[in-house]
Amino acid sequence: MDFGLVLQTDPPASDVVSLMQRAERNGFRYGWTFDSAVLWQEPFVIYSRILEHTEHLTVGPMVTNPGTRTWEVTASTFATLNDMYGNRTVCGIGRGDSAMRVAGRAPNTLARLGDAITAIRDLAEGRETEVDGKPLRLPWVRDGRLPVWMAAYGPKALALAGQKADGFILQLADPYLTEWMVKAVRASAAEAGRDPDSVTICVAAPAYVGDDLAHAREQCRWFGGMVGNHVADLVSRYGEHSDLVPDALTTYIKERHGYDYSHHGRAGNPSTDFVPDEIVDRFCLLGPAEAHREKLGVLRELGVDQFAIYNMHDAREATIDAYGTEIIPALTD
């Protein structure tokens, strides 16, 4: 199992770079950031510094979207970083939540997302593709490689991930939901004539190592609110109880009343007081190191290839170090 670190690009950028260096020293192989240009600093500028100051870390957004930047700009940026640092990027992509909504735009359609996945990957790897109905190619790209991993929750999005993406990002660490969604992605890949095992599975969630469970829950409760934004979309589309979406994912948002993006992804987010302890425990990894190893072992058996830690709480350095000494060695093949 691989491990990744997920950060917001709060200033100063030097802190983001330093934490990524610390992660690499502790055995993490991936460095991810949020991508929401209004709420945080521009991540692609910071990726260049991270790549320059690490040796092997693969970096990318968790997640970008097909609406904030034109597809050729996104592809060219990845391809430039790869040319400079040796194919050490990965493109996490989704419909767009905070990046789109904060700017007053609706998330992208799945059809647009599917077209973007193909176009961005083709352009970044030097192939001709179609953008806005016209053929396009980046003529300077040589030996480019850009895996594109798609974030998804709902049945249509899971199907698209299986059909087109190189990897699937699931932003929660509940074993039951993980099993259900991984099966859906792999079934879709098989139906599309792809090798189901070729789709990399990445689970991303907050992790907090320690014995004070009540404190850990409060530091990570924000995550249930962030996931709740996507769940609310699913409920509006499929209803509160649907055979297409498990109740284990949807029922907890019934007390949700709006969301303030100014606190997005932050401990103490007042918009997440509706999230019960049960959801925090299911969606996150909390408790002593042994509890983390046990849950990660279950996730690995379910086909998870990478666990990426959302590290937005009051123990960022301690969590990285605890994973490096007590958890990663036990889960790394």
Side-chain angles (χ1 to χ4, degrees):
M1 178 180 274
D2 284 334
F3 288 84
L5 183 72
V6 189
L7 299 174
Q8 294 168 338
T9 51
D10 288 311
S14 58
D15 284 356
V16 178
V17 176
S18 177
L19 286 167
M20 291 298 186
Q21 289 177 299
R22 191 184 198 110
E24 183 177 61
R25 291 195 300 269
N26 277 280
F28 290 76
R29 294 187 58 207
Y30 284 77
W32 303 92
T33 75
F34 282 40
D35 178 17
S36 192
V38 174
L39 297 178
W40 302 287
Q41 292 185 329
E42 171 54 40
F44 285 91
V45 177
I46 300 172
Y47 295 157
S48 189
R49 294 286 289 175
I50 295 170
L51 289 164
E52 181 182 8
H53 288 85
T54 57
E55 295 182 7
H56 306 292
L57 207 66
T58 295
V59 305
M62 189 178 280
V63 292
T64 193
N65 72 86
T68 341
R69 302 173 180 84
T70 61
W71 303 349
E72 68 271 21
V73 169
T74 298
S76 182
T77 304
F78 276 113
T80 301
L81 291 171
N82 283 336
D83 186 65
M84 293 171 68
Y85 299 105
N87 287 336
R88 289 170 55 199
T89 66
V90 57
C91 177
I93 195 168
R95 293 177 60 227
D97 179 32
S98 63
M100 297 296 287
R101 297 185 204 268
V102 168
R105 306 183 188 110
N108 297 272
T109 65
L110 287 175
R112 180 173 172 81
L113 176 57
D115 290 343
I117 288 172
T118 299
I120 290 169
R121 181 171 51 214
D122 282 347
L123 288 169
E125 295 185 347
R127 293 184 295 276
E128 183 177 292
T129 193
E130 188 173 288
V131 177
D132 294 331
K134 296 182 179 180
L136 201 64
R137 186 174 70 88
L138 302 181
W140 52 268
V141 173
R142 298 290 183 273
D143 301 318
R145 181 182 61 81
L146 183 65
V148 181
W149 298 6
M150 179 183 156
Y153 292 107
K156 293 181 180 179
L158 294 169
L160 180 62
Q163 292 160 8
K164 291 202 170 187
D166 301 298
F168 163 51
I169 297 172
L170 173 58
Q171 293 165 326
L172 54 80
D174 175 71
Y176 171 78
L177 292 172
T178 298
E179 182 176 18
W180 187 86
M181 294 187 187
V182 168
K183 284 182 177 178
V185 169
R186 295 208 188 282
S188 175
E191 290 171 5
R194 305 177 66 197
D195 176 3
D197 293 330
S198 70
V199 182
T200 302
I201 307 297
C202 174
V203 160
Y208 199 106
V209 182
D211 295 323
D212 189 343
L213 190 57
H215 179 74
R217 283 174 178 150
E218 291 311 310
Q219 287 294 304
C220 299
R221 196 174 303 276
W222 62 265
F223 184 66
M226 187 182 85
V227 174
N229 295 329
H230 304 283
V231 174
D233 286 345
L234 294 177
V235 170
S236 68
R237 189 172 297 116
Y238 297 104
E240 291 186 7
H241 302 286
S242 168
D243 292 338
L244 299 175
V245 183
D247 285 351
L249 176 63
T250 60
T251 54
Y252 84 96
I253 69 160
K254 60 184 178 181
E255 300 299 328
R256 178 182 183 270
H257 303 288
Y259 188 84
D260 182 354
Y261 278 93
S262 66
H263 305 284
H264 188 56
R266 300 188 186 278
N269 185 339
S271 298
T272 61
D273 55 0
F274 70 93
V275 180
D277 288 351
E278 177 208 359
I279 289 295
V280 183
D281 292 349
R282 282 174 44 206
F283 285 12
C284 305
L285 273 77
L286 312 174
E290 176 56 35
H292 291 246
R293 291 192 295 266
E294 180 178 350
K295 190 168 186 178
L296 287 168
V298 172
L299 292 173
R300 183 170 63 175
E301 289 299 312
L302 294 175
V304 175
D305 301 297
Q306 180 184 152
F307 175 59
I309 298 174
Y310 278 106
N311 203 30
M312 280 67 80
H313 49 57
D314 65 0
R316 296 189 302 175
E317 291 85 356
T319 299
I320 294 169
D321 293 345
Y323 262 71
T325 58
E326 301 182 72
I327 299 164
I328 291 178
L331 275 298
T332 303
D333 295 329

